Amino acid sequence: MSKIAKFKIFRFDPESDKAPRFDSVDVPYADGMTILDALFHIQDHIDPSIAFRFSCRAGVCGSCALHIDGKYQLACETQASLGLSKRVTIRPLAHLPIIRDLVVEMESFWKQYKRIIPYLLPGEPPPEKERIQTASDRLKLDVLVDCILCASCHASCPMTASHEDYIGPAALVKTNRFAVDSRDDALRQRLNIVSDDKGVWRCHTVFNCSEACPKDIDPAGSIANLKRLSTRHYLLKPDSR
């Protein structure tokens, strides 16, 4: 007897539906099937109208982040076997407008990301050949550079729900990534962007973001470090990093 994975999937088209609903769908299970595979099966064989987002299928791009079985996960990395013993609920990312079904509008998320200047500002003068970084300095970036901007932390944060101007944990992780990079020379400029009640001081240290991150980056830790740097900068007025 073939195995069946059972799902309850969020459905909503703002252009035609008055309210969201959940559709119960049963999918023939195969060993190794992921949630993303199950969504493909639904689209190909059960309901071609279902909308979801994906790209790399390898846990790299972050496009398929969803609320699955009570927590934020990447659909391409989450096993569909969850649905063998119970009906698993699949929802879109929270705190972002619904385009259709499991697809959300990311414009506000990217707006905050652009706001923090997400690239190196190395200062002058330029080096003769390259900017040298020691192994120990590079080690400080090892986890931070793994952020794939999937917005799971953003969707899990209660502050992004209640304060639309809050920069959010993902953008703050990226800020910290450049703040600790020995090649960057714009710490003061970066702190000026995030050191207010729309930035690090809006964080209530709930830790949802760290629990939601599929790459184990610990956004709450990055925010705590930025708070420390901000306090040092504005209260102690240091001359150097």
mmCIF file of all heavy atoms in Angstrom, residues 17-59:
data_model
loop_
_atom_site.group_PDB
_atom_site.id
_atom_site.type_symbol
_atom_site.label_atom_id
_atom_site.label_comp_id
_atom_site.label_asym_id
_atom_site.label_seq_id
_atom_site.Cartn_x
_atom_site.Cartn_y
_atom_site.Cartn_z
ATOM 1 N N ASP A 17 -10.799 36.301 -3.951
ATOM 2 C CA ASP A 17 -11.299 35.691 -2.720
ATOM 3 C C ASP A 17 -11.653 36.751 -1.677
ATOM 4 O O ASP A 17 -10.932 37.734 -1.510
ATOM 5 C CB ASP A 17 -10.245 34.750 -2.124
ATOM 6 C CG ASP A 17 -9.949 33.575 -3.031
ATOM 7 O OD1 ASP A 17 -10.826 33.226 -3.853
ATOM 8 O OD2 ASP A 17 -8.845 33.001 -2.920
ATOM 9 N N LYS A 18 -12.736 36.509 -0.966
ATOM 10 C CA LYS A 18 -13.131 37.423 0.107
ATOM 11 C C LYS A 18 -12.319 37.186 1.370
ATOM 12 O O LYS A 18 -12.105 38.110 2.160
ATOM 13 C CB LYS A 18 -14.626 37.253 0.403
ATOM 14 C CG LYS A 18 -15.535 37.708 -0.735
ATOM 15 C CD LYS A 18 -16.999 37.572 -0.345
ATOM 16 C CE LYS A 18 -17.919 38.063 -1.460
ATOM 17 N NZ LYS A 18 -19.355 37.928 -1.101
ATOM 18 N N ALA A 19 -11.880 35.963 1.558
ATOM 19 C CA ALA A 19 -11.126 35.625 2.766
ATOM 20 C C ALA A 19 -10.228 34.424 2.480
ATOM 21 O O ALA A 19 -10.507 33.634 1.575
ATOM 22 C CB ALA A 19 -12.076 35.306 3.909
ATOM 23 N N PRO A 20 -9.160 34.271 3.246
ATOM 24 C CA PRO A 20 -8.291 33.102 3.078
ATOM 25 C C PRO A 20 -9.010 31.821 3.499
ATOM 26 O O PRO A 20 -9.998 31.847 4.236
ATOM 27 C CB PRO A 20 -7.118 33.397 4.017
ATOM 28 C CG PRO A 20 -7.189 34.858 4.309
ATOM 29 C CD PRO A 20 -8.636 35.204 4.257
ATOM 30 N N ARG A 21 -8.464 30.686 3.026
ATOM 31 C CA ARG A 21 -8.982 29.378 3.418
ATOM 32 C C ARG A 21 -7.806 28.393 3.473
ATOM 33 O O ARG A 21 -6.701 28.712 3.052
ATOM 34 C CB ARG A 21 -10.024 28.883 2.414
ATOM 35 C CG ARG A 21 -9.444 28.503 1.061
ATOM 36 C CD ARG A 21 -10.505 28.012 0.084
ATOM 37 N NE ARG A 21 -9.922 27.427 -1.120
ATOM 38 C CZ ARG A 21 -9.503 28.123 -2.173
ATOM 39 N NH1 ARG A 21 -9.629 29.452 -2.173
ATOM 40 N NH2 ARG A 21 -8.978 27.513 -3.219
ATOM 41 N N PHE A 22 -8.069 27.219 3.987
ATOM 42 C CA PHE A 22 -7.086 26.150 3.971
ATOM 43 C C PHE A 22 -7.657 24.968 3.197
ATOM 44 O O PHE A 22 -8.770 24.525 3.479
ATOM 45 C CB PHE A 22 -6.708 25.715 5.386
ATOM 46 C CG PHE A 22 -5.787 26.678 6.082
ATOM 47 C CD1 PHE A 22 -6.291 27.709 6.857
ATOM 48 C CD2 PHE A 22 -4.410 26.551 5.965
ATOM 49 C CE1 PHE A 22 -5.446 28.599 7.502
ATOM 50 C CE2 PHE A 22 -3.550 27.434 6.607
ATOM 51 C CZ PHE A 22 -4.066 28.464 7.374
ATOM 52 N N ASP A 23 -6.899 24.462 2.218
ATOM 53 C CA ASP A 23 -7.297 23.289 1.463
ATOM 54 C C ASP A 23 -6.551 22.067 1.981
ATOM 55 O O ASP A 23 -5.323 22.092 2.130
ATOM 56 C CB ASP A 23 -6.961 23.460 -0.030
ATOM 57 C CG ASP A 23 -7.899 24.420 -0.727
ATOM 58 O OD1 ASP A 23 -8.903 24.833 -0.109
ATOM 59 O OD2 ASP A 23 -7.622 24.771 -1.891
ATOM 60 N N SER A 24 -7.285 21.004 2.253
ATOM 61 C CA SER A 24 -6.673 19.740 2.648
ATOM 62 C C SER A 24 -6.320 18.948 1.386
ATOM 63 O O SER A 24 -7.182 18.738 0.525
ATOM 64 C CB SER A 24 -7.628 18.936 3.530
ATOM 65 O OG SER A 24 -7.831 19.596 4.764
ATOM 66 N N VAL A 25 -5.062 18.545 1.284
ATOM 67 C CA VAL A 25 -4.570 17.858 0.088
ATOM 68 C C VAL A 25 -3.762 16.636 0.505
ATOM 69 O O VAL A 25 -2.921 16.711 1.405
ATOM 70 C CB VAL A 25 -3.688 18.791 -0.770
ATOM 71 C CG1 VAL A 25 -3.301 18.098 -2.066
ATOM 72 C CG2 VAL A 25 -4.394 20.108 -1.054
ATOM 73 N N ASP A 26 -4.005 15.508 -0.162
ATOM 74 C CA ASP A 26 -3.245 14.286 0.074
ATOM 75 C C ASP A 26 -2.315 14.038 -1.108
ATOM 76 O O ASP A 26 -2.744 14.116 -2.269
ATOM 77 C CB ASP A 26 -4.183 13.099 0.248
ATOM 78 C CG ASP A 26 -5.052 13.220 1.507
ATOM 79 O OD1 ASP A 26 -4.760 14.114 2.332
ATOM 80 O OD2 ASP A 26 -6.006 12.443 1.643
ATOM 81 N N VAL A 27 -1.063 13.727 -0.816
ATOM 82 C CA VAL A 27 -0.040 13.561 -1.845
ATOM 83 C C VAL A 27 0.601 12.179 -1.718
ATOM 84 O O VAL A 27 0.995 11.783 -0.604
ATOM 85 C CB VAL A 27 1.047 14.653 -1.704
ATOM 86 C CG1 VAL A 27 2.174 14.423 -2.707
ATOM 87 C CG2 VAL A 27 0.439 16.034 -1.894
ATOM 88 N N PRO A 28 0.715 11.421 -2.812
ATOM 89 C CA PRO A 28 1.445 10.143 -2.757
ATOM 90 C C PRO A 28 2.890 10.391 -2.336
ATOM 91 O O PRO A 28 3.583 11.205 -2.937
ATOM 92 C CB PRO A 28 1.369 9.628 -4.196
ATOM 93 C CG PRO A 28 0.212 10.344 -4.799
ATOM 94 C CD PRO A 28 0.167 11.695 -4.148
ATOM 95 N N TYR A 29 3.313 9.676 -1.301
ATOM 96 C CA TYR A 29 4.640 9.920 -0.738
ATOM 97 C C TYR A 29 5.687 8.989 -1.336
ATOM 98 O O TYR A 29 5.444 7.804 -1.544
ATOM 99 C CB TYR A 29 4.608 9.745 0.774
ATOM 100 C CG TYR A 29 5.966 9.877 1.424
ATOM 101 C CD1 TYR A 29 6.532 11.127 1.627
ATOM 102 C CD2 TYR A 29 6.685 8.748 1.804
ATOM 103 C CE1 TYR A 29 7.790 11.261 2.200
ATOM 104 C CE2 TYR A 29 7.943 8.874 2.382
ATOM 105 C CZ TYR A 29 8.493 10.128 2.574
ATOM 106 O OH TYR A 29 9.740 10.251 3.137
ATOM 107 N N ALA A 30 6.866 9.559 -1.604
ATOM 108 C CA ALA A 30 8.022 8.781 -2.035
ATOM 109 C C ALA A 30 9.173 9.089 -1.101
ATOM 110 O O ALA A 30 9.298 10.213 -0.607
ATOM 111 C CB ALA A 30 8.398 9.125 -3.482
ATOM 112 N N ASP A 31 10.019 8.111 -0.840
ATOM 113 C CA ASP A 31 11.142 8.307 0.066
ATOM 114 C C ASP A 31 11.994 9.503 -0.365
ATOM 115 O O ASP A 31 12.331 9.644 -1.542
ATOM 116 C CB ASP A 31 12.015 7.058 0.109
ATOM 117 C CG ASP A 31 11.341 5.899 0.833
ATOM 118 O OD1 ASP A 31 10.368 6.160 1.555
ATOM 119 O OD2 ASP A 31 11.788 4.748 0.659
ATOM 120 N N GLY A 32 12.313 10.357 0.590
ATOM 121 C CA GLY A 32 13.144 11.515 0.300
ATOM 122 C C GLY A 32 12.382 12.731 -0.192
ATOM 123 O O GLY A 32 12.969 13.790 -0.421
ATOM 124 N N MET A 33 11.088 12.619 -0.372
ATOM 125 C CA MET A 33 10.278 13.745 -0.858
ATOM 126 C C MET A 33 10.335 14.908 0.126
ATOM 127 O O MET A 33 10.246 14.731 1.334
ATOM 128 C CB MET A 33 8.828 13.305 -1.055
ATOM 129 C CG MET A 33 7.873 14.432 -1.416
ATOM 130 S SD MET A 33 6.151 13.878 -1.560
ATOM 131 C CE MET A 33 6.177 13.172 -3.207
ATOM 132 N N THR A 34 10.504 16.106 -0.397
ATOM 133 C CA THR A 34 10.486 17.307 0.426
ATOM 134 C C THR A 34 9.133 17.998 0.306
ATOM 135 O O THR A 34 8.309 17.648 -0.549
ATOM 136 C CB THR A 34 11.581 18.294 -0.010
ATOM 137 O OG1 THR A 34 11.289 18.752 -1.347
ATOM 138 C CG2 THR A 34 12.957 17.636 0.013
ATOM 139 N N ILE A 35 8.922 18.981 1.147
ATOM 140 C CA ILE A 35 7.694 19.776 1.061
ATOM 141 C C ILE A 35 7.609 20.452 -0.304
ATOM 142 O O ILE A 35 6.525 20.531 -0.900
ATOM 143 C CB ILE A 35 7.648 20.828 2.183
ATOM 144 C CG1 ILE A 35 7.554 20.159 3.559
ATOM 145 C CG2 ILE A 35 6.497 21.801 1.970
ATOM 146 C CD1 ILE A 35 6.270 19.413 3.805
ATOM 147 N N LEU A 36 8.738 20.925 -0.816
ATOM 148 C CA LEU A 36 8.728 21.548 -2.139
ATOM 149 C C LEU A 36 8.336 20.542 -3.213
ATOM 150 O O LEU A 36 7.568 20.857 -4.134
ATOM 151 C CB LEU A 36 10.098 22.156 -2.448
ATOM 152 C CG LEU A 36 10.203 22.947 -3.752
ATOM 153 C CD1 LEU A 36 9.215 24.107 -3.775
ATOM 154 C CD2 LEU A 36 11.638 23.473 -3.949
ATOM 155 N N ASP A 37 8.842 19.299 -3.111
ATOM 156 C CA ASP A 37 8.434 18.251 -4.046
ATOM 157 C C ASP A 37 6.931 18.026 -3.978
ATOM 158 O O ASP A 37 6.271 17.830 -5.013
ATOM 159 C CB ASP A 37 9.156 16.940 -3.726
ATOM 160 C CG ASP A 37 10.647 16.992 -3.975
ATOM 161 O OD1 ASP A 37 11.079 17.758 -4.856
ATOM 162 O OD2 ASP A 37 11.389 16.259 -3.278
ATOM 163 N N ALA A 38 6.391 18.032 -2.767
ATOM 164 C CA ALA A 38 4.953 17.828 -2.602
ATOM 165 C C ALA A 38 4.161 18.948 -3.254
ATOM 166 O O ALA A 38 3.124 18.714 -3.893
ATOM 167 C CB ALA A 38 4.614 17.726 -1.112
ATOM 168 N N LEU A 39 4.652 20.177 -3.120
ATOM 169 C CA LEU A 39 3.970 21.314 -3.764
ATOM 170 C C LEU A 39 4.013 21.193 -5.281
ATOM 171 O O LEU A 39 3.039 21.513 -5.970
ATOM 172 C CB LEU A 39 4.609 22.621 -3.310
ATOM 173 C CG LEU A 39 4.368 23.010 -1.846
ATOM 174 C CD1 LEU A 39 5.201 24.242 -1.472
ATOM 175 C CD2 LEU A 39 2.890 23.274 -1.571
ATOM 176 N N PHE A 40 5.134 20.719 -5.811
ATOM 177 C CA PHE A 40 5.219 20.487 -7.254
ATOM 178 C C PHE A 40 4.205 19.430 -7.691
ATOM 179 O O PHE A 40 3.559 19.569 -8.742
ATOM 180 C CB PHE A 40 6.626 20.035 -7.650
ATOM 181 C CG PHE A 40 7.632 21.132 -7.751
ATOM 182 C CD1 PHE A 40 8.856 21.033 -7.103
ATOM 183 C CD2 PHE A 40 7.379 22.270 -8.497
ATOM 184 C CE1 PHE A 40 9.790 22.051 -7.195
ATOM 185 C CE2 PHE A 40 8.308 23.297 -8.594
ATOM 186 C CZ PHE A 40 9.519 23.173 -7.944
ATOM 187 N N HIS A 41 4.079 18.376 -6.909
ATOM 188 C CA HIS A 41 3.119 17.323 -7.252
ATOM 189 C C HIS A 41 1.697 17.881 -7.266
ATOM 190 O O HIS A 41 0.908 17.573 -8.171
ATOM 191 C CB HIS A 41 3.213 16.171 -6.254
ATOM 192 C CG HIS A 41 2.237 15.062 -6.538
ATOM 193 N ND1 HIS A 41 2.528 13.999 -7.372
ATOM 194 C CD2 HIS A 41 0.944 14.865 -6.117
ATOM 195 C CE1 HIS A 41 1.488 13.209 -7.452
ATOM 196 N NE2 HIS A 41 0.514 13.707 -6.702
ATOM 197 N N ILE A 42 1.380 18.697 -6.263
ATOM 198 C CA ILE A 42 0.046 19.298 -6.214
ATOM 199 C C ILE A 42 -0.203 20.155 -7.445
ATOM 200 O O ILE A 42 -1.256 20.081 -8.085
ATOM 201 C CB ILE A 42 -0.112 20.126 -4.922
ATOM 202 C CG1 ILE A 42 -0.062 19.213 -3.689
ATOM 203 C CG2 ILE A 42 -1.414 20.931 -4.947
ATOM 204 C CD1 ILE A 42 0.062 19.965 -2.371
ATOM 205 N N GLN A 43 0.796 20.952 -7.810
ATOM 206 C CA GLN A 43 0.646 21.844 -8.967
ATOM 207 C C GLN A 43 0.540 21.061 -10.275
ATOM 208 O O GLN A 43 -0.228 21.427 -11.171
ATOM 209 C CB GLN A 43 1.833 22.807 -9.029
ATOM 210 C CG GLN A 43 1.678 23.932 -10.043
ATOM 211 C CD GLN A 43 2.847 24.877 -10.005
ATOM 212 O OE1 GLN A 43 3.976 24.495 -10.323
ATOM 213 N NE2 GLN A 43 2.604 26.120 -9.605
ATOM 214 N N ASP A 44 1.284 19.976 -10.380
ATOM 215 C CA ASP A 44 1.308 19.208 -11.625
ATOM 216 C C ASP A 44 0.131 18.249 -11.783
ATOM 217 O O ASP A 44 -0.312 17.980 -12.917
ATOM 218 C CB ASP A 44 2.604 18.395 -11.714
ATOM 219 C CG ASP A 44 3.833 19.266 -11.898
ATOM 220 O OD1 ASP A 44 3.676 20.428 -12.319
ATOM 221 O OD2 ASP A 44 4.952 18.780 -11.609
ATOM 222 N N HIS A 45 -0.391 17.737 -10.652
ATOM 223 C CA HIS A 45 -1.361 16.649 -10.751
ATOM 224 C C HIS A 45 -2.689 16.889 -10.042
ATOM 225 O O HIS A 45 -3.652 16.153 -10.300
ATOM 226 C CB HIS A 45 -0.745 15.358 -10.189
ATOM 227 C CG HIS A 45 0.516 14.941 -10.865
ATOM 228 N ND1 HIS A 45 0.542 14.410 -12.140
ATOM 229 C CD2 HIS A 45 1.812 15.000 -10.448
ATOM 230 C CE1 HIS A 45 1.796 14.136 -12.483
ATOM 231 N NE2 HIS A 45 2.587 14.494 -11.479
ATOM 232 N N ILE A 46 -2.762 17.876 -9.164
ATOM 233 C CA ILE A 46 -3.990 18.059 -8.388
ATOM 234 C C ILE A 46 -4.628 19.421 -8.633
ATOM 235 O O ILE A 46 -5.805 19.509 -8.971
ATOM 236 C CB ILE A 46 -3.705 17.869 -6.878
ATOM 237 C CG1 ILE A 46 -3.166 16.452 -6.626
ATOM 238 C CG2 ILE A 46 -4.972 18.120 -6.060
ATOM 239 C CD1 ILE A 46 -2.750 16.196 -5.186
ATOM 240 N N ASP A 47 -3.870 20.490 -8.453
ATOM 241 C CA ASP A 47 -4.419 21.845 -8.592
ATOM 242 C C ASP A 47 -3.357 22.755 -9.202
ATOM 243 O O ASP A 47 -2.485 23.256 -8.479
ATOM 244 C CB ASP A 47 -4.860 22.371 -7.230
ATOM 245 C CG ASP A 47 -5.540 23.738 -7.319
ATOM 246 O OD1 ASP A 47 -5.552 24.333 -8.423
ATOM 247 O OD2 ASP A 47 -6.062 24.219 -6.290
ATOM 248 N N PRO A 48 -3.408 22.987 -10.497
ATOM 249 C CA PRO A 48 -2.394 23.824 -11.150
ATOM 250 C C PRO A 48 -2.434 25.286 -10.762
ATOM 251 O O PRO A 48 -1.513 26.041 -11.077
ATOM 252 C CB PRO A 48 -2.703 23.652 -12.642
ATOM 253 C CG PRO A 48 -4.144 23.282 -12.690
ATOM 254 C CD PRO A 48 -4.395 22.465 -11.466
ATOM 255 N N SER A 49 -3.466 25.699 -10.034
ATOM 256 C CA SER A 49 -3.593 27.115 -9.673
ATOM 257 C C SER A 49 -2.806 27.488 -8.431
ATOM 258 O O SER A 49 -2.654 28.672 -8.130
ATOM 259 C CB SER A 49 -5.065 27.480 -9.469
ATOM 260 O OG SER A 49 -5.571 26.883 -8.283
ATOM 261 N N ILE A 50 -2.298 26.516 -7.699
ATOM 262 C CA ILE A 50 -1.591 26.829 -6.458
ATOM 263 C C ILE A 50 -0.306 27.595 -6.750
ATOM 264 O O ILE A 50 0.430 27.278 -7.694
ATOM 265 C CB ILE A 50 -1.281 25.549 -5.651
ATOM 266 C CG1 ILE A 50 -0.731 25.918 -4.266
ATOM 267 C CG2 ILE A 50 -0.306 24.638 -6.394
ATOM 268 C CD1 ILE A 50 -0.605 24.751 -3.322
ATOM 269 N N ALA A 51 -0.052 28.637 -5.969
ATOM 270 C CA ALA A 51 1.111 29.503 -6.202
ATOM 271 C C ALA A 51 2.089 29.387 -5.031
ATOM 272 O O ALA A 51 1.696 29.468 -3.871
ATOM 273 C CB ALA A 51 0.666 30.959 -6.377
ATOM 274 N N PHE A 52 3.354 29.187 -5.362
ATOM 275 C CA PHE A 52 4.419 29.173 -4.368
ATOM 276 C C PHE A 52 5.703 29.631 -5.038
ATOM 277 O O PHE A 52 5.811 29.671 -6.265
ATOM 278 C CB PHE A 52 4.590 27.777 -3.746
ATOM 279 C CG PHE A 52 4.809 26.671 -4.746
ATOM 280 C CD1 PHE A 52 6.087 26.273 -5.106
ATOM 281 C CD2 PHE A 52 3.723 26.013 -5.329
ATOM 282 C CE1 PHE A 52 6.295 25.256 -6.027
ATOM 283 C CE2 PHE A 52 3.913 24.995 -6.252
ATOM 284 C CZ PHE A 52 5.203 24.612 -6.606
ATOM 285 N N ARG A 53 6.685 29.971 -4.235
ATOM 286 C CA ARG A 53 7.927 30.542 -4.762
ATOM 287 C C ARG A 53 9.081 29.569 -4.522
ATOM 288 O O ARG A 53 9.182 28.941 -3.470
ATOM 289 C CB ARG A 53 8.195 31.889 -4.073
ATOM 290 C CG ARG A 53 9.386 32.644 -4.599
ATOM 291 C CD ARG A 53 9.477 34.014 -3.916
ATOM 292 N NE ARG A 53 8.614 34.997 -4.552
ATOM 293 C CZ ARG A 53 7.946 35.949 -3.912
ATOM 294 N NH1 ARG A 53 8.024 36.052 -2.607
ATOM 295 N NH2 ARG A 53 7.199 36.810 -4.576
ATOM 296 N N PHE A 54 9.976 29.460 -5.511
ATOM 297 C CA PHE A 54 11.153 28.606 -5.367
ATOM 298 C C PHE A 54 12.194 29.048 -6.389
ATOM 299 O O PHE A 54 11.911 29.811 -7.303
ATOM 300 C CB PHE A 54 10.798 27.130 -5.610
ATOM 301 C CG PHE A 54 10.525 26.817 -7.057
ATOM 302 C CD1 PHE A 54 11.526 26.303 -7.867
ATOM 303 C CD2 PHE A 54 9.279 27.057 -7.619
ATOM 304 C CE1 PHE A 54 11.275 26.036 -9.215
ATOM 305 C CE2 PHE A 54 9.025 26.799 -8.957
ATOM 306 C CZ PHE A 54 10.030 26.276 -9.756
ATOM 307 N N SER A 55 13.401 28.557 -6.222
ATOM 308 C CA SER A 55 14.442 28.820 -7.222
ATOM 309 C C SER A 55 15.481 27.704 -7.223
ATOM 310 O O SER A 55 15.414 26.798 -8.030
ATOM 311 C CB SER A 55 15.113 30.178 -6.982
ATOM 312 O OG SER A 55 16.036 30.454 -8.017
ATOM 313 N N CYS A 56 16.410 27.726 -6.259
ATOM 314 C CA CYS A 56 17.566 26.828 -6.345
ATOM 315 C C CYS A 56 17.259 25.381 -5.983
ATOM 316 O O CYS A 56 17.940 24.470 -6.437
ATOM 317 C CB CYS A 56 18.698 27.348 -5.458
ATOM 318 S SG CYS A 56 18.412 27.079 -3.686
ATOM 319 N N ARG A 57 16.280 25.140 -5.137
ATOM 320 C CA ARG A 57 15.911 23.811 -4.640
ATOM 321 C C ARG A 57 17.017 23.164 -3.807
ATOM 322 O O ARG A 57 17.032 21.950 -3.600
ATOM 323 C CB ARG A 57 15.535 22.860 -5.789
ATOM 324 C CG ARG A 57 14.536 23.421 -6.788
ATOM 325 C CD ARG A 57 14.061 22.351 -7.731
ATOM 326 N NE ARG A 57 13.386 22.919 -8.885
ATOM 327 C CZ ARG A 57 12.696 22.210 -9.782
ATOM 328 N NH1 ARG A 57 12.604 20.902 -9.644
ATOM 329 N NH2 ARG A 57 12.124 22.798 -10.803
ATOM 330 N N ALA A 58 17.973 23.957 -3.337
ATOM 331 C CA ALA A 58 19.125 23.399 -2.629
ATOM 332 C C ALA A 58 19.437 24.127 -1.322
ATOM 333 O O ALA A 58 20.551 24.036 -0.827
ATOM 334 C CB ALA A 58 20.343 23.420 -3.544
ATOM 335 N N GLY A 59 18.494 24.875 -0.780
ATOM 336 C CA GLY A 59 18.708 25.559 0.485
ATOM 337 C C GLY A 59 19.669 26.727 0.408
ATOM 338 O O GLY A 59 20.258 27.097 1.420
#
